[in-house]
């Protein structure tokens, strides 16, 4: 069976990948780029830190790639063996496979990466879609996860209905729509022009997933045994941060929460908070 491309054109794919290579060339932390072969296809990873340090996986959100972690990796690599991972089916260098969210597709994918590196246990820092993948794995392999950091995570509440409406409207309104969408997602943040340029390429040429991401049930969330930190913005345009925090607190035994005021879906300058949490006994 031929896999349908996740890009609108081959030229668009080339432009996105070329820009991505530019971002990777500016990765400041000493690292190595590797591909891991999995059942879902080749998975691209940037690894940094000491081999004998505790393992830390970084999982980005939808319509993104591991370059989103560039600012955090230097600090995280001081104490951890960091694996920044391109999620399959997103606009990075991993395979374009998009398996169903239901079932064990993504949890088995994470398990394969862990086993191929000979790791017994990992901590995971994950954003949005990555948060859903991290929780899905932690519910099915609880003994494999030490700590979880969930940033503006998906999978706990449904996407806000008004956001779905605006995504449809802005997609038809060219540059004005793109700028309006950015204001929704980034809020009051001053965004690097290169990040906006890359976002524009992705909007123009990348085909995002439109299938609904499952919301985890209370019973499923209760399978998570890892100490967990949730960080969310009180003005997240995608998810109800207060409801997410309430559900996680009600269902997780070892839980901390940090809701940021006047903050949207994109969270920055959280490295110190994350490191402090990961280092807690």
């Amino acid at each position: 069976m031929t896999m349908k491309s996740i890009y609108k054109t081959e030229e668009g794919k080339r432009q996105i990948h070329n820009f991505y290579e530019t971002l990777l060339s500016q990765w400041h932390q000493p690292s190595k780029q590797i591909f891991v072969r999995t059942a879902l296809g080749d998975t691209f990873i940037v690894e940094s830190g000491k081999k004998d340090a505790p393992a830390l996986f970084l999982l980005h959100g939808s319509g993104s790639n591991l370059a989103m972690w560039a600012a955090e990796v230097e600090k995280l690599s001081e104490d951890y063996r960091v694996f920044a991972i391109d999620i399959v089916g997103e606009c990075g260098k991993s395979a374009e496979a998009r398996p169903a969210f239901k079932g064990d597709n993504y949890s088995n994918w994470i398990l394969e990466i862990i086993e191929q590196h000979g790791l017994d246990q990992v901590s995971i820092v994950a954003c949005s879609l990555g948060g859903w993948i991290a929780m899905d794995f932690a519910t099915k392999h609880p003994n494999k996860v030490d700590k979880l950091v969930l940033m503006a995570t998906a999978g706990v509440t449904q996407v806000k209905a008004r956001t779905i409406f605006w995504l449809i409207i802005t997609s038809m309104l060219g540059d004005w729509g793109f700028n309006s969408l950015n204001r929704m997602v980034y809020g009051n943040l001053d965004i690097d022009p290169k990040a906006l340029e890359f976002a524009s390429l992705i909007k123009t040429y990348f085909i995002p997933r439109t299938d609904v991401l499952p919301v985890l049930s209370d019973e499923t969330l209760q399978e998570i045994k890892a100490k967990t930190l949730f960080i969310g913005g009180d003005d997240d345009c995608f998810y109800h941060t207060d409801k997410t925090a309430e559900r996680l607190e009600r269902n997780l035994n070892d839980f901390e929460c940090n809701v940021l005021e006047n903050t949207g879906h994109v969270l920055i300058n959280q490295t110190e908070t994350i490191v402090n949490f990961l280092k807690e006994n």
Side-chain angles (χ1 to χ4, degrees):
M1 180 182 295
T2 303
M3 185 184 302
K4 185 177 180 181
S5 179
I6 61 176
Y7 300 94
K8 295 176 183 177
T9 67
E10 281 300 311
E11 172 60 20
K13 176 180 177 179
R14 184 190 67 79
Q15 289 190 39
I16 289 175
H17 282 203
N18 285 348
F19 200 103
Y20 185 28
E21 289 291 352
T22 300
L23 296 178
L24 290 172
S25 70
Q26 298 169 356
W27 194 275
H28 300 298
Q29 180 65 19
S31 60
K32 66 176 181 179
Q33 300 181 7
I34 58 177
F35 282 92
V36 174
R37 182 158 294 180
T38 75
L40 298 183
D42 288 348
T43 298
F44 178 65
I45 299 173
V46 175
E47 179 185 347
S48 58
K50 299 177 182 178
K51 280 278 189 180
D52 57 353
L56 178 65
F57 282 14
L58 305 180
L59 298 175
H60 59 80
S62 177
S64 183
N65 52 48
L66 63 80
M68 72 161 283
W69 303 109
E72 286 81 14
V73 165
E74 182 175 2
K75 181 65 176 177
L76 293 172
S77 296
E78 292 177 4
D79 298 291
Y80 297 92
R81 183 182 178 189
V82 179
F83 298 82
I85 302 171
D86 268 349
I87 296 173
V88 293
E90 296 299 326
C91 48
K93 296 174 69 174
S94 291
E96 296 186 20
R98 285 179 167 172
F101 289 125
K102 292 183 179 180
D104 297 331
N105 297 306
Y106 284 95
S107 58
N108 287 344
W109 173 67
I110 294 293
L111 185 62
E112 283 185 87
I113 298 171
I114 289 174
E115 291 179 340
Q116 289 195 41
H117 284 89
L119 305 172
D120 294 323
Q121 195 175 56
V122 302
S123 292
I124 306 176
V125 178
C127 176
S128 199
L129 168 64
W132 179 89
I133 293 172
M135 287 188 291
D136 179 60
F137 179 75
T139 65
K140 294 169 181 172
H141 302 280
N143 295 329
K144 291 290 186 181
V145 183
D146 182 20
K147 291 186 178 179
L148 279 178
V149 178
L150 306 172
M151 305 176 67
T153 189
V156 184
T157 64
Q158 296 283 3
V159 176
K160 292 179 178 179
R162 65 180 177 87
T163 297
I164 297 174
F165 170 78
W166 277 109
L167 285 172
I168 295 171
I169 295 299
T170 57
S171 68
M172 300 184 291
L173 297 177
D175 290 342
W176 184 90
F178 175 69
N179 293 332
S180 298
L181 181 60
N182 283 338
R183 286 194 293 272
M184 286 178 57
V185 174
Y186 294 108
N188 297 321
L189 295 177
D190 291 327
I191 305 302
D192 185 330
K194 282 190 173 296
L196 289 178
E197 185 178 351
F198 194 37
S200 179
L201 281 176
I202 291 169
K203 179 183 181 297
T204 303
Y205 296 115
F206 177 69
I207 304 172
R209 291 188 72 156
T210 56
D211 43 339
V212 177
L213 194 65
V215 171
L216 303 177
S217 68
D218 286 353
E219 293 75 16
T220 300
L221 289 171
Q222 290 163 15
E223 295 297 322
I224 297 175
K225 307 306 178 187
K227 185 178 179 69
T228 302
L229 169 65
F230 168 64
I231 307 174
D234 65 351
D235 197 27
D236 190 323
C237 65
F238 287 104
Y239 301 105
H240 294 278
T241 295
D242 54 344
K243 294 180 181 179
T244 296
E246 186 276 329
R247 284 201 67 219
L248 291 174
E249 185 171 22
R250 175 158 44 87
N251 288 289
L252 304 187
N253 289 325
D254 203 347
F255 176 71
E256 296 180 19
C257 176
N258 189 6
V259 176
L260 307 175
E261 294 183 356
N262 302 314
T263 302
H265 187 67
V266 176
L267 309 177
I268 62 172
N269 301 326
Q270 297 303 304
T271 310
E272 183 177 354
T273 298
I274 292 169
V275 169
N276 289 339
F277 171 78
L278 292 173
K279 287 184 175 180
E280 288 179 3
N281 292 328

